[in-house]
Amino acid sequence: MLAAAVAPVDPRAVIEDEVRELVRRRGLDPVRQPEVMRALVHEVVTEYEERVLLGGLPAVRDAAGVCRAVYDAVAGFGPLQRYFDDPTVEEVWINEPGRVFVARGGRSELTTTILAAGQIQDLVERMLKSSGRRVDLSQPFVDAMLPDGSRLHVVIPDITRQHWAVNIRRFVLPAASLDELVELGTLTPHAAAFLEAAVVSGLNVIVAGGTQAGKTTLVSCSM
């Protein structure tokens, strides 16, 4: 008789399962306790490496990389987390599982990230968890704010033809004050002084403009 082939053990998958189990047992909130989660992941990876020395388990070739991948999977947004951690990424959108785009400096680029169809739904549900919003057949599109201030827009079939469409507009702040906007050439000194006086006086100010024109940045710098 031929013996059935045994699938090789994936160290990252084993570690991720153990981390998820400990999160459940300890009642941790992965999103609200990032430092605790990082310590937990490091703890599990260390214990796994100790068991490797006893034999029977494949070694972890890149412990730091595994720590990062497991943390992103459990406490972050999985394969998309790298774009949330990149301060140059202004926007992320998913047209279909194999076509994930980002925008940097106003220019879009196709990434090498490929997602499974079910993975997109899992990521969206995780993103919506903090907002209390949901998306399903009765509510096929949703707009929500992520904890970091990013804006999430999701549309699902049958509104879209086949795949979930996801857009994330990140809150990238190039300046933190009116003085910095003046230095960047966005405002003249006189305009900045007028705007500051208007805010201090409690006047109503309307800020309008096209997408990514800098409306949120201007408001933030004026506060």
Side-chain angles (χ1 to χ4, degrees), residues 134-151:
R134 64 184 176 86
V135 59
D136 52 35
L137 292 177
S138 65
Q139 209 168 12
F141 52 87
V142 66
D143 295 326
M145 186 80 76
L146 300 184
D148 69 348
S150 299
R151 298 170 186 173

Side-chain angles (χ1 to χ4, degrees), residues 27-210:
L28 301 177
D29 186 330
V31 175
R32 297 173 184 264
Q33 298 175 285
E35 295 307 318
V36 173
M37 285 303 304
R38 288 189 176 90
L40 175 62
V41 171
H42 184 269
E43 171 191 330
V44 174
V45 170
T46 300
E47 291 179 353
Y48 179 91
E49 290 182 315
E50 291 174 354
R51 298 204 306 270
V52 167
L53 298 177
L54 300 176
L57 290 174
V60 175
R61 295 183 178 180
D62 178 9
V66 168
C67 283
R68 173 62 184 270
V70 171
Y71 177 85
D72 288 350
V74 178
F77 297 130
L80 300 183
Q81 187 60 43
R82 73 178 85 170
Y83 306 122
F84 283 86
D85 295 337
D86 186 342
T88 68
V89 172
E90 303 164 342
E91 193 168 2
V92 181
W93 65 95
I94 305 170
N95 289 349
E96 58 185 72
R99 294 179 64 81
V100 179
F101 294 82
V102 299
R104 291 184 176 91
R107 295 186 177 185
S108 63
E109 57 186 78
L110 177 63
T111 71
T112 57
T113 299
I114 297 178
L115 304 171
Q119 196 173 15
I120 297 177
Q121 182 174 348
D122 290 341
L123 288 170
V124 168
E125 289 177 353
R126 193 182 308 175
M127 292 177 188
L128 290 174
K129 185 176 180 181
S130 62
S131 69
R133 309 291 297 278
R134 64 184 176 86
V135 59
D136 52 35
L137 292 177
S138 65
Q139 209 168 12
F141 52 87
V142 66
D143 295 326
M145 186 80 76
L146 300 184
D148 69 348
S150 299
R151 298 170 186 173
L152 173 68
H153 310 277
V154 183
V155 184
I156 68 173
D158 291 329
I159 302 300
T160 59
R161 180 174 298 180
Q162 182 179 1
H163 301 289
W164 286 42
V166 181
N167 176 266
I168 304 161
R169 289 187 56 206
R170 299 195 58 230
F171 180 60
V172 180
L173 189 64
S177 66
L178 290 176
D179 289 339
E180 290 185 20
L181 289 180
V182 171
E183 292 176 4
L184 291 170
T186 303
L187 291 177
T188 65
H190 292 298
F194 174 80
L195 181 57
E196 182 177 14
V199 171
V200 171
S201 301
L203 300 179
N204 293 326
V205 179
I206 297 176
V207 180

